[in-house]
Amino acid sequence: MNPSVIANTGVSETGASLLSIQREMASVFAEIADLFGNPSSLGAIYGLLFASPEPLSMEEIVERLGISTGTASQGLRRLAEMQAILPKKEDGERVTRYEAKLELRPFVAMFLEQQLLPKIGHSAERIETLKQKLSSIPKDSREELGIRMERASKWHRRAKTFLPLVRKFLGG
Amino acid sequence: MNPSVIANTGVSETGASLLSIQREMASVFAEIADLFGNPSSLGAIYGLLFASPEPLSMEEIVERLGISTGTASQGLRRLAEMQAILPKKEDGERVTRYEAKLELRPFVAMFLEQQLLPKIGHSAERIETLKQKLSSIPKDSREELGIRMERASKWHRRAKTFLPLVRKFLGG
DNA sequence: ACTTCATTTCATTTTGAATTGAAGTGTCCG
DNA sequence: CGGACACTTCAATTCAAAATGAAATGAAGT
């Protein structure tokens, strides 16, 4: 009668249903992580913890998601670094358990600050450098290209002022 | 004395320098495309056209970027679809030449509308569906999970109202 | 109708990032 | 000390997405 056939690792009857919700939540967050250029396992782990009232150990995460210990270990580390989850070493326990922080901010911030801003900054630099090379090309092209690169620079400036705003808005 | 060793396909002395600028610009835009989850060839083609005062044919693009005809063909189609470039079939000419539109809007809009919004919408739906499954789990977990899913829904709603705003701001 | 040449298509190949898993590290407790 | 256990590391593997390139298509000119 239990519809879930997979990896019933000592979880109670009703637990199976909770597990299916947790797996679905993991899958939803996996998609989102992927959308933002993160490994989907990151999202899956976060999603599972998000849908877990009780903190989970790495072993439980590995079990419930069917991922490898390596992936879980690295994923947990990155999530902790980006402050999306909270590791809790309980008193006399051997294991570390993790719980999801429920704010969106860490996710968004991590993406904006670690991915977007640096890369935008980097390409802005490259364009500045290019502007200087312009002097060495024929006059006709030079003028038009100068205009275009100025335009590209403008985009970058706008993005740089705008992104922190996004962060503020979504971060609350 | 010419520093450029690669694929000098009958381009004049000064042209080599222009070519190097175009290649660098292609590379900058390739990175940006990649950052937004698009194939980097898309960015490269757009970057080349952006740094090209004269419209270019597919053959010229293939030559200058060293990509295959297949990649060029598909890339040009997608760029034209997203209105980032303009195909110009000249009077009695065989070839189609392409020029870059210089606005950022098509790029941003394409990303927001084709990638972000639909996927955000999709995961919002999945979470709504999940909310209904909540009734079948034990009371204690149910309450906490209900709160969390409500929170997740809130994020999605916020994102959905906010993204069109981004579009308007960057799109000008 | 035939040739030529630009372009598209798509089965195959390449590439690179994510994942695996087994060996290694460290730590706790008897 | 030593063995059990939680976790980390990293070389090897997997896998999906992108790129290739040769064959198919199609449009122009003769």
Side-chain angles (χ1 to χ4, degrees):
Chain A
M1 199 168 230
N2 184 342
S4 171
V5 193
I6 11 174
N8 188 338
T9 57
V11 185
S12 73
E13 283 293 325
T14 51
S17 186
L18 174 58
L19 182 58
S20 76
I21 287 176
Q22 291 176 330
R23 287 226 180 93
E24 174 73 3
M25 208 64 175
S27 159
V28 168
F29 278 85
E31 265 188 13
I32 293 175
D34 180 63
L35 179 59
F36 286 106
N38 293 111
S40 66
S41 59
L42 263 201
I45 295 169
Y46 182 79
L48 170 58
L49 292 176
F50 189 89
S52 186
E54 304 300 328
L56 300 178
S57 69
M58 191 174 114
E59 199 192 352
E60 289 168 318
I61 292 167
V62 164
E63 256 166 24
R64 296 192 190 195
L65 295 180
I67 61 180
S68 70
T69 58
T71 300
S73 173
Q74 291 180 187
L76 287 168
R77 174 169 33 177
R78 281 202 60 196
L79 286 167
E81 278 168 11
M82 64 171 81
Q83 316 258 29
I85 66 176
L86 205 62
K88 313 188 84 178
K89 181 90 109 192
E90 212 62 41
D91 50 303
E93 278 288 314
R94 284 285 200 101
V95 298
T96 306
R97 294 177 175 279
Y98 301 85
E99 68 181 23
K101 289 203 192 172
L102 302 183
E103 307 89 53
L104 180 55
R105 220 201 66 252
F107 252 31
V108 179
M110 168 65 36
F111 174 64
L112 291 182
E113 280 152 32
Q114 315 282 308
Q115 322 257 321
L116 268 182
L117 276 175
K119 287 183 189 167
I120 294 285
H122 180 235
S123 64
E125 275 172 38
R126 291 176 74 185
I127 290 173
E128 291 310 314
T129 305
L130 266 187
K131 278 190 198 163
Q132 289 161 8
K133 285 201 192 163
L134 276 180
S135 50
S136 71
I137 67 169
K139 185 169 130 272
D140 47 345
S141 307
R142 182 177 24 183
E143 187 167 356
E144 174 63 13
L145 282 191
I147 292 168
R148 294 192 180 193
M149 292 198 183
E150 196 39 60
R151 207 180 239 273
S153 296
K154 207 179 217 164
W155 293 351
H156 282 83
R157 265 177 261 126
R158 230 199 274 201
K160 276 194 240 176
T161 58
F162 188 60
L163 288 179
L165 227 81
V166 178
R167 189 186 175 296
K168 220 164 264 179
F169 185 91
L170 286 179
Chain B
M1 202 170 230
N2 184 344
S4 171
V5 191
I6 12 171
N8 189 338
T9 56
V11 185
S12 74
E13 284 293 326
T14 51
S17 186
L18 173 59
L19 182 58
S20 77
I21 286 175
Q22 291 175 329
R23 288 224 180 95
E24 175 72 2
M25 207 64 175
S27 158
V28 169
F29 278 86
E31 265 186 12
I32 293 174
D34 181 61
L35 181 58
F36 285 106
N38 293 111
S40 66
S41 59
L42 264 201
I45 295 170
Y46 181 78
L48 170 58
L49 292 175
F50 189 89
S52 185
E54 304 299 329
L56 299 179
S57 69
M58 190 174 112
E59 199 192 353
E60 288 168 319
I61 292 167
V62 164
E63 256 166 23
R64 296 192 190 195
L65 295 180
I67 61 180
S68 70
T69 59
T71 299
S73 173
Q74 291 180 185
L76 287 167
R77 174 168 33 177
R78 282 201 60 197
L79 286 167
E81 277 167 11
M82 64 171 79
Q83 316 259 30
I85 66 176
L86 206 62
K88 312 188 86 175
K89 180 91 111 194
E90 212 63 42
D91 52 304
E93 279 287 315
R94 284 285 200 105
V95 299
T96 306
R97 295 176 174 279
Y98 300 85
E99 68 180 24
K101 289 203 193 174
L102 302 184
E103 308 89 52
L104 179 57
R105 222 203 64 254
F107 255 28
V108 179
M110 168 66 35
F111 174 64
L112 291 181
E113 280 152 31
Q114 315 281 307
Q115 321 257 323
L116 269 182
L117 277 173
K119 287 182 189 169
I120 293 286
H122 179 235
S123 64
E125 276 172 36
R126 292 177 74 183
I127 289 174
E128 291 309 316
T129 305
L130 267 186
K131 278 190 199 164
Q132 290 161 6
K133 285 201 193 164
L134 277 180
S135 50
S136 71
I137 66 169
K139 184 169 132 274
D140 47 344
S141 307
R142 182 176 21 181
E143 188 167 354
E144 175 62 15
L145 281 191
I147 292 168
R148 294 193 181 192
M149 291 199 183
E150 195 40 59
R151 208 179 238 273
S153 296
K154 207 178 218 164
W155 294 350
H156 282 84
R157 264 177 262 127
R158 229 198 274 202
K160 276 195 239 175
T161 57
F162 187 59
L163 289 179
L165 228 82
V166 179
R167 190 186 176 293
K168 219 164 265 176
F169 183 91
L170 286 179

